[in-house]
Amino acid sequence: MSARKTETPDTAAARNTPDPRATADTKPAGPDFASASLPRHLVRGALGFGALIASFACLPAVGPVSLLLLPAGLFALRGCPMCWAIGLLQTVSRGRLQRSCKDGHCELTVRSP
């Protein structure tokens, strides 16, 4: 004999109920790389990428001392160039996208002005 689970109305309702923690007001669980404003993020990118490029471009003239610009560039980018790019997308989309959860399905929608 196999044991069968019978579904009661309570378990069916609980399965179809959206997660109460998944509201539009919650922050994403992942890291936040966004800056306070787009110009600030672009300045960080210019400083970070400039320092990374300068560290390798000055290598023939200055020698290994120019590699000291690498940590400064990575600090300005908050880790790596991909981290900066993710932060750029977060900075641009902040305030423009809204997550809404209805009937157990969550979706991103453009926030109306």
Side-chain angles (χ1 to χ4, degrees):
M1 277 184 108
S2 65
R4 285 189 170 178
K5 280 187 149 181
T6 59
E7 191 169 299
T8 64
D10 293 334
T11 58
R15 189 185 67 222
N16 293 330
T17 305
D19 186 6
R21 296 171 292 177
T23 62
D25 297 333
T26 60
K27 288 185 74 173
D32 189 17
F33 295 107
S35 294
S37 67
L38 185 61
R40 181 179 293 178
H41 195 81
L42 294 176
V43 167
R44 274 190 32 246
L47 290 174
F49 285 115
L52 291 177
I53 292 169
S55 69
F56 290 109
C58 295
L59 195 57
V62 183
V65 175
S66 69
L67 295 178
L68 293 174
L69 289 173
L70 281 175
L74 293 177
F75 179 75
L77 295 175
R78 290 189 187 164
C80 64
M82 183 58 75
C83 298
W84 180 84
I86 291 170
L88 178 64
L89 293 175
Q90 288 178 346
T91 303
V92 169
S93 69
R94 180 168 282 165
R96 294 184 185 179
L97 296 177
Q98 177 179 345
R99 181 175 67 173
S100 60
C101 298
K102 295 178 186 167
D103 298 329
H105 299 293
C106 295
E107 60 182 28
L108 285 175
T109 57
V110 178
R111 185 176 291 189
S112 57

